[in-house]
Every structure is written in structure tokens, then in C-alpha cells.
Amino acid sequence: MPTTTPASGSEPASGSEPASGSEAASGSEAGKPIVCWDDEVDEILGGDLTAVLGYVTPASGVVVSPVAPIGLRDRAAGTVSFTTSLGFGRKLERFAKNPKMTLAFAAREHGFARSQRFVLVQGSVVEVRQPDSAWVEANLTPRAERFLGPVKRGRLWEPWLREYYQERVVVTARVDRVTTWPDLQCEGRASVIGAPLSGDPEPQRRPEQGTGARVKVGKAGRHLSGSRHLLLGFVEGDGYPFVVPVRLTQTGPDGLLLAGGVQLPPGGRRAGLLGHSYNPELVGLTVHQHTGWMQVDVAGSKQCAYYPHTDRGFRAPPNKTLLLISNGAIAKYGLWKARRAGRERLLHTGPGS
């Protein structure tokens, strides 16, 4: 794990607005102090077009997935948020069982932040809610338009995109720790605000099916090598997902060799791997996701062998109009399936509710 220096927070910035406006998502939680980050970090949280979400699986692995946080955070309350849909309810089901999550702010292109710091925000989900259309129009729409361009309006577009634009779910997490590195490769010394970093996690028990790759390694390597950003996620010693950038240095017949700027915990464990690329307004987004097994044989090493067990991905249309048509169709079908499955039960306004 990285060596660190302590960093102190600062007074809340006047430009940092509440993410959801809910009292349940503000203030300290169970006696824990509010984690307040500095202006440079707040600019990144408020200005990055994308972040990478990490959440824990039942087998203590990590899934890493890109999200568009559109600047949702509340520095005074010590919370961060992002939006999703009931149609993509797997992460909400995971949060209901384990609320610990991570947002890694790992890319600066096509956003507004100028700093080159890598920011890792770790916390626990305290609210999952579906705001009404008036709140969405007043709060989410202006933020989304800043990053993703003007909302399509009109007699044809509004019915088609209603589920995509209006049926949003806001996920809010209380921040427990903010770790930053001076560059996006995490090559320098880390600074921590909030809870201190835990020690190296213990190696995990090998899966019954074995640790070897279960998908075509060559195909996975080709997809990942074409991705602009690669991020690796695993569970820390205190149970939070830990997500860091890596490079693909070699594709072998049985697995992948990854290297990065942060020392990785020795031994073997379940881990998630994400490769993604995108253009302005997320046009042409490509995503390649894996869950699998990472193996670090030497203590203090910054490289690992990775054996992918699952392979998921998609490529969004490279044209904005085609992208919106596709998003509208996916949102409609996904929400229909979610309601049939009763996923409204995953909505709550506070921990344990």
C-alpha cells in the first residue's frame, strides 16, 4: 500500500452545493467527523467528466465501472454522489448488502478541472433515492448539460428520452477518506484526509474453480491495450474498495501482466479491472470490464499477474444523435425490467432504512 503524508481539509467552498438536498445525507454519521477536502480536490470532484466506481462483491472482489458524476458533491456535509438508473440495479443490490464504495477521479480530458492529481474517495452509501421530475429539472439537468451538452427537447425527443433524463436514481455516500497522489499515474507520495489507510489486506482464499483465466486472454489483452485508461480494484484491509491506475505491460497465453505506481498487497485476491475510453460528452464511450484474480508474489511490488474470469463490455455509438437514441431504448427496457423485478425496494433515505 502507498506511503502517505497527512493532509488537512479546508473550509467548505461556497461553490460546492448539496448533492441531494436530503438531511439524511448530511452531517456526521454515527459520531464520525465530517471529512472536508481542500479546494484543489473540490475542483476535481466538481470538474471531471468521468469517475470510476468501485463496489464490493459477495465474494469480496471488486467491480470497477465508469460513471459520470456531473460534479455532485457536498463539501460541507462530507458527501459525494452520482446518478444511475434502476435499470442498472446490480450496483444498488450490492450497496444494500455492503455500502462501502469508492470513486476514483482518474482522468482529466473533456472536463473542467486543471489539477493533475489522482483522487480516490472512499466512503459508505447512506442514501439511494429517486427524486421527482421537478428536482431533476432544477438540479440535475443544469449539471448534466454542463458536461454532456444540451438536453434534447421536443415532441419526439421528450417521450423517447423520458426514462433516460427523468427516471434517475441519486446515490449519495458519506466520505470516510480522501487519498490523493500528485499525478494521475500515482507515482508520487500519497496524502490522506480522514481515516488513515489500513495495512495490507490478508491474501484471500483461492476460488474452488481455481485462479486461472476463464476467458480468452488474448482478446482481453487486445481490448485493454486499446483503452486510454486502465484501473485495477481490490478490497483493502478495512473493507473499502481500492482503485488505482495500471498499465498493461504483457499479454501471455494464461494471463495479463499489470504495473502501476502504487505498491500492491502481496499474495492473491479477487480483483476487478476496467479499461475505458471516451470523447467529449461521452460520445464513442468504450468499456471493457473484468473480474478475476490478481497475484503479487513479491512484497512491495508494483506489478501483478491478472487472470480474468469474466469479460463484459460495450461500445457506444460515435454519433451524438445515435447515442441518445440508443440510451433512450436501453433506459426504457432497463426500467421496465427493474420494475418487474421490484427494484424499488432498493431505494432508501438513510442507512438501515
Side-chain angles (χ1 to χ4, degrees):
M1 303 299 289
T3 52
T4 62
T5 55
S8 60
S10 64
E11 291 300 313
S14 59
S16 179
E17 299 177 2
S20 66
S22 167
E23 293 180 2
S26 64
S28 61
E29 176 72 24
K32 293 184 178 181
I34 292 173
V35 175
C36 187
W37 49 89
D38 60 34
D39 289 342
E40 186 177 5
V41 169
D42 196 65
E43 181 193 38
I44 293 168
L45 271 56
D48 275 8
L49 174 58
T50 63
V52 172
L53 171 69
Y55 57 92
V56 183
T57 70
S60 295
V62 170
V63 174
V64 280
S65 178
V67 296
I70 59 174
L72 290 169
R73 82 280 187 209
D74 186 343
R75 182 149 57 143
T79 62
V80 293
S81 301
F82 65 92
T83 69
T84 184
S85 167
L86 284 176
F88 300 99
R90 177 63 63 85
K91 64 178 71 70
L92 302 182
E93 292 172 351
R94 296 289 189 251
F95 290 145
K97 297 177 180 178
N98 185 338
K100 290 185 176 180
M101 54 79 74
T102 287
L103 283 175
F105 292 80
R108 292 296 103 86
E109 67 261 34
H110 315 311
F112 304 98
R114 295 162 295 178
S115 170
Q116 291 302 299
R117 295 186 74 85
F118 182 100
V119 177
L120 187 70
V121 178
Q122 295 170 301
S124 297
V125 172
V126 294
E127 181 181 83
V128 179
R129 75 183 188 107
Q130 192 167 37
D132 59 34
S133 58
W135 192 93
V136 169
E137 190 68 24
N139 293 276
L140 288 188
T141 298
R143 290 174 177 272
E145 288 187 320
R146 180 178 181 232
F147 290 91
L148 303 174
V151 165
K152 287 284 189 180
R153 302 187 187 274
R155 289 195 302 171
L156 294 178
W157 282 111
E158 289 178 22
W160 183 252
L161 294 173
R162 184 180 66 83
E163 290 82 1
Y164 177 63
Y165 282 149
Q166 297 293 329
E167 302 283 345
R168 306 303 299 173
V169 172
V170 180
V171 179
T172 297
R174 180 199 67 242
V175 176
D176 296 319
R177 177 165 56 229
V178 178
T179 308
T180 68
W181 287 261
D183 58 72
L184 292 172
Q185 292 73 45
C186 298
E187 296 286 354
R189 191 177 183 88
S191 298
V192 177
I193 304 169
L197 286 170
S198 64
D200 284 335
E202 292 294 324
Q204 293 179 350
R205 179 181 299 179
R206 292 171 175 262
E208 292 182 1
Q209 302 94 328
T211 62
R214 303 173 194 170
V215 300
K216 295 180 179 179
V217 176
K219 178 182 176 182
R222 287 192 299 273
H223 286 160
L224 293 171
S225 64
S227 299
R228 183 177 176 92
H229 304 286
L230 292 182
L231 293 109
L232 177 71
F234 53 89
V235 175
E236 272 195 291
D238 56 6
Y240 290 97
F242 190 78
V243 178
V244 290
V246 291
R247 304 181 307 277
L248 175 62
T249 61
Q250 184 178 336
T251 300
D254 302 317
L256 309 170
L257 188 63
L258 307 173
V262 174
Q263 292 182 6
L264 300 173
R269 68 200 68 254
R270 299 176 188 269
L273 182 62
L274 168 72
H276 71 120
S277 306
Y278 55 93
N279 297 319
E281 299 181 5
L282 295 183
V283 174
L285 171 69
T286 61
V287 174
H288 302 287
Q289 291 173 286
H290 300 280
T291 58
W293 186 263
M294 63 176 279
Q295 184 70 40
V296 178
D297 292 328
V298 180
S301 177
K302 296 182 179 180
Q303 66 177 20
C304 70
Y306 187 80
Y307 306 98
H309 293 171
T310 64
D311 186 350
R312 298 182 62 189
F314 66 88
R315 181 183 298 273
N319 175 277
K320 185 63 177 288
T321 298
L322 293 177
L323 176 64
L324 289 175
I325 292 173
S326 173
N327 286 344
I330 292 171
K332 286 180 181 295
Y333 179 67
L335 191 58
W336 174 78
K337 286 184 62 179
R339 286 172 173 162
R340 281 184 57 119
R343 283 183 178 160
E344 287 90 346
R345 73 186 187 282
L346 300 173
L347 302 174
H348 63 83
T349 58
S353 61

